[in-house]
């Protein structure tokens, strides 16, 4: 610790207790949900071929590679996004589905909560529900990730024992903040959380116009809920007027840097490419690639911010891989990324259009819209069309549509869920080289805490008696302890 004359003088006039021995700094944690190594190659190959770049082309992320992260949770080699984010927020392994609690269901403080208590400004910027697992892991504490109604109250700062820990939240999932008497609500009760937030001092915004008008010096805390459910996929932006992830990230950085310009402390924001994962779950490579490209654009926004503000660092990694993507199949040594170049709509939205139509209209929709326009196929066969048309439920349609292109591109997916492979680790900014190499994912959270120089254990002590159980759930904390020696 260095106490200069200047800092002693500053401390004397400071409103913050204690000496300002923290050099002012900002932390940007980027999470690419469900983005594994095969997806990286698919997106890179797609960009390289479609832009006619040389074969040694490097993406915005490739240039920042420093290592890799292991992804297992406390109870499985295949994590979910809840346990996969708790490691970053709290530095501890926990069971799949847990948020802000350890493997015994006991609340653990997060580095974002500790940073907020110290004087940092904090935020989350996502494309999923704001209450979805990754953002929720930074500012909520529940036994099961499905407890969205309680998560919303905690993230909004409406539970006194938890306090308000966020100054900014941008994303989707407005439904968890709407009374169950409102159409589209996904809350368990009739509380109107958005009105409660306004009464508690939040500046709230709910659409593109209001987003555009948020000034950099907006009164904090500020929220932006730009979709009832998830913010649409990038490939579907042409039919949805919503702010994109890079736009939300840029706005968040402007707001948080403005809010801290005269402060001894900087800001800490978590930015998530949430729907890379969703497209993986749908086995929809064209949509997956466009979500990844949007994530690269977000990395560019963040990189430029760091170039202009060198007291800022960024870490970017994934919580896990999704879909078990393989580039190559049927013993053929081929992968054709450009098969996805003419896709114009996510399989998710295209299939929803099929299933909401009366049976008599479906044939024309498949042969005139879904295959030639949405997937951009130039040679639609009878076999492919009848398989899509035969879909009775969403899952059948997703598989038939995915399959329609996978043979031409010569790829395959092995799962509709997650896999257990290591994921890449990227970083930019002073001291991040300390994270070089292969790491257990908990090391990343511990490093974030160390970088911020905050006391997470003090928060854990404060949270010991909070309610982590949302009615009507009554989950008992996990009693199954993963056997590290087991070969299962
Ligand atoms: C809405 O929430 C109230 C409690 O706030 C509950 O009594 C009621 O059953 C809920 N209605 C529905 C349709 O879930
Ligand atoms: C995409 O569309 C263009 C223009 O119609 C066409 O030339 C090209 O062959 C199509 N690509 C694929 C993979 O179908
Ligand atoms: C579709 O066209 C492409 C390129 O012309 C060809 O390689 C592929 O085999 C065709 N697919 C089918 C199912 O006919
Ligand atoms: C593709 O993966 C599915 C499982 O997702 C499997 O049933 C199928 O046999 C695979 N196809 C090839 C050609 O490997
Ligand atoms: Zn997932």
């Amino acid at each position: 610790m260095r106490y200069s004359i200047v800092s002693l003088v500053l401390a004397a006039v400071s409103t913050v207790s204690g000496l300002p021995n923290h050099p002012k700094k900002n932390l940007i944690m980027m999470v690419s949900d469900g983005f594994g190594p095969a997806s990286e190659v698919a997106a890179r190959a797609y960009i390289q071929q479609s832009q006619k770049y040389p074969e040694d082309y490097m993406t915005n992320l490739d240039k920042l590679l420093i290592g890799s992260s292991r992804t297992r949770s406390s109870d499985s080699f295949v994590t979910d996004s809840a346990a996969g984010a708790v490691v970053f927020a709290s530095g501890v392994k926990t069971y799949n589905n847990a948020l802000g609690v350890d493997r015994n269901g006991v609340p653990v403080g997060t580095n974002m909560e500790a940073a907020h208590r110290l004087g940092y400004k904090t935020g989350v910027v996502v494309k999923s529900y704001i209450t979805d697992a990754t953002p929720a892991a930074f500012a909520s504490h529940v036994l099961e990730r499905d407890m969205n109604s309680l998560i919303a109250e905690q993230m909004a700062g409406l539970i006194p024992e938890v306090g308000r820990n966020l100054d900014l939240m941008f994303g989707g999932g407005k439904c968890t903040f709407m009374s169950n008497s409102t159409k589209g609500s996904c809350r368990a009760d009739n509380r109107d959380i958005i009105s409660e937030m306004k009464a508690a001092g939040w500046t709230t915004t709910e659409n593109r116009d209001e987003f555009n008008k948020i000034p950099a010096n907006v009164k904090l805390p500020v929220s932006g809920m730009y979709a009832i459910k998830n913010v649409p996929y990038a490939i579907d932006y042409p039919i949805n007027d919503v702010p994109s992830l890079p736009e939300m990230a840029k706005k968040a950085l402007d707001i948080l840097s403005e809010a801290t310009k005269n402060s001894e402390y900087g800001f800490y924001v978590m930015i998530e490419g949430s729907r890379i994962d969703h497209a993986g779950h749908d086995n929809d490579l064209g949509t997956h690639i466009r979500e990844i490209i949007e994530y690269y654009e977000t990395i560019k926004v963040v990189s430029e911010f760091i170039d202009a503000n060198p007291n800022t660092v960024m870490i970017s990694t994934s919580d896990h891989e999704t879909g078990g993507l393989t580039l190559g199949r049927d013993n053929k040594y081929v992968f054709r990324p450009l098969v996805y170049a003419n896709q114009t709509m996510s399989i998710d939205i295209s299939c929803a259009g099929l299933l909401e139509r009366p049976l008599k209209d479906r044939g024309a929709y498949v042969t005139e819209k879904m295959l030639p326009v949405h997937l951009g196929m130039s040679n639609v066969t009878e076999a492919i069309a009848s398989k899509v048309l035969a879909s009775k439920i969403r899952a059948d349609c997703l598989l038939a549509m995915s399959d329609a292109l996978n043979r031409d591109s010569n790829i395959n997916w092995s799962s509709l869920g997650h896999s257990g492979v290591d994921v890449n680790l990227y970083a930019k900014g002073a001291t991040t080289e300390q994270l070089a190499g292969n790491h257990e994912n908990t090391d990343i959270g511990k490093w974030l805490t160390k970088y911020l120089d905050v006391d997470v254990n003090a928060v854990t002590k404060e949270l010991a008696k909070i309610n982590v159980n949302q009615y009507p759930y009554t989950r008992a904390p996990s009693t199954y302890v993963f056997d590290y020696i087991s070969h299962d």
Side-chain angles (χ1 to χ4, degrees), residues 179-181 187-191:
S179 158
N180 70 359
S181 63
R187 273 196 75 73
D189 62 29
N190 57 12
R191 282 176 68 177

Side-chain angles (χ1 to χ4, degrees), residues 120-139:
Y120 285 87
K121 296 293 177 193
T122 54
V124 293
V125 177
V126 302
K127 289 190 66 178
S128 62
Y129 290 30
I130 285 170
T131 59
D132 199 28
T134 309
F138 288 82

Side-chain angles (χ1 to χ4, degrees), residues 33 81 277-278 281 320 322 418:
D33 200 307
S81 291
D277 172 68
H278 298 177
H281 281 288
H320 53 77
T322 301
H418 300 171

Side-chain angles (χ1 to χ4, degrees), residues 88-166:
F88 304 143
S90 300
V92 299
K93 293 264 191 206
T94 189
Y95 57 93
N96 285 2
N97 290 313
L99 286 174
V101 296
D102 67 13
R103 66 183 77 193
N104 301 311
V106 176
V108 282
T110 75
N111 44 34
M112 198 168 273
E113 292 166 335
H116 194 262
R117 280 160 170 69
L118 196 58
Y120 285 87
K121 296 293 177 193
T122 54
V124 293
V125 177
V126 302
K127 289 190 66 178
S128 62
Y129 290 30
I130 285 170
T131 59
D132 199 28
T134 309
F138 288 82
S140 77
H141 307 272
V142 292
L143 294 177
E144 285 283 339
R145 59 185 289 176
D146 287 350
M147 300 176 177
N148 280 285
S149 302
L150 179 57
I151 294 170
E153 293 154 34
Q154 293 183 353
M155 293 182 82
L158 299 176
I159 309 253
E161 300 76 35
V162 178
R164 180 172 63 77
N165 297 292
L166 293 173

Side-chain angles (χ1 to χ4, degrees), residues 27-29 112 122-125 252-253 256 267-271:
L27 172 59
I28 304 171
M29 178 63 192
M112 198 168 273
T122 54
V124 293
V125 177
L253 296 179
L256 293 171
F267 63 81
Y268 174 21
V269 63
M270 191 285 293
I271 303 174

Side-chain angles (χ1 to χ4, degrees), residues 336 377-379 381 384 404 407-408:
R336 295 187 199 90
M377 292 180 80
S378 43
N379 51 355
T381 63
I384 289 175
R407 287 163 206 279
D408 286 350

Side-chain angles (χ1 to χ4, degrees), residues 371-426:
L371 295 169
V373 178
H374 302 166
L375 291 187
M377 292 180 80
S378 43
N379 51 355
V380 175
T381 63
E382 175 66 38
I384 289 175
S386 36
K387 196 167 164 219
V388 175
L389 183 58
S391 309
K392 297 263 186 300
I393 54 169
R394 180 174 178 274
D396 296 344
C397 182
L398 293 179
L399 274 180
M401 289 286 276
S402 174
D403 227 37
L405 292 180
N406 294 350
R407 287 163 206 279
D408 286 350
S409 60
N410 204 50
I411 64 121
N412 202 12
W413 300 87
S414 58
S415 177
L416 295 167
H418 300 171
S419 81
V421 297
D422 288 3
V423 291
N424 286 346
L425 176 61
Y426 305 90

Side-chain angles (χ1 to χ4, degrees), residues 273-349:
S274 321
R275 305 204 71 197
I276 296 171
D277 172 68
H278 298 177
H281 281 288
D282 286 357
N283 288 186
D284 180 352
L285 188 55
T287 298
H288 191 61
I289 287 173
R290 282 155 181 89
E291 288 299 297
I292 295 165
I293 291 174
E294 180 185 46
Y295 187 74
Y296 291 156
E297 288 163 2
T298 312
I299 291 285
K300 183 157 175 277
V301 167
V302 169
S303 289
E304 287 169 357
F305 182 89
I306 296 174
D307 290 338
N309 301 274
N311 62 336
T312 309
V313 302
M314 177 203 78
I315 304 294
S316 172
T317 193
S318 308
D319 43 2
H320 53 77
E321 193 269 359
T322 301
L325 176 64
T326 57
L327 308 180
R329 67 188 266 172
D330 292 330
N331 284 336
K332 284 190 288 188
Y333 291 22
V334 173
F335 167 48
R336 295 187 199 90
L338 292 188
V339 164
Y340 298 92
N342 292 344
Q343 186 175 336
T344 58
M345 189 183 277
S346 65
I347 293 179
D348 178 35
I349 300 298

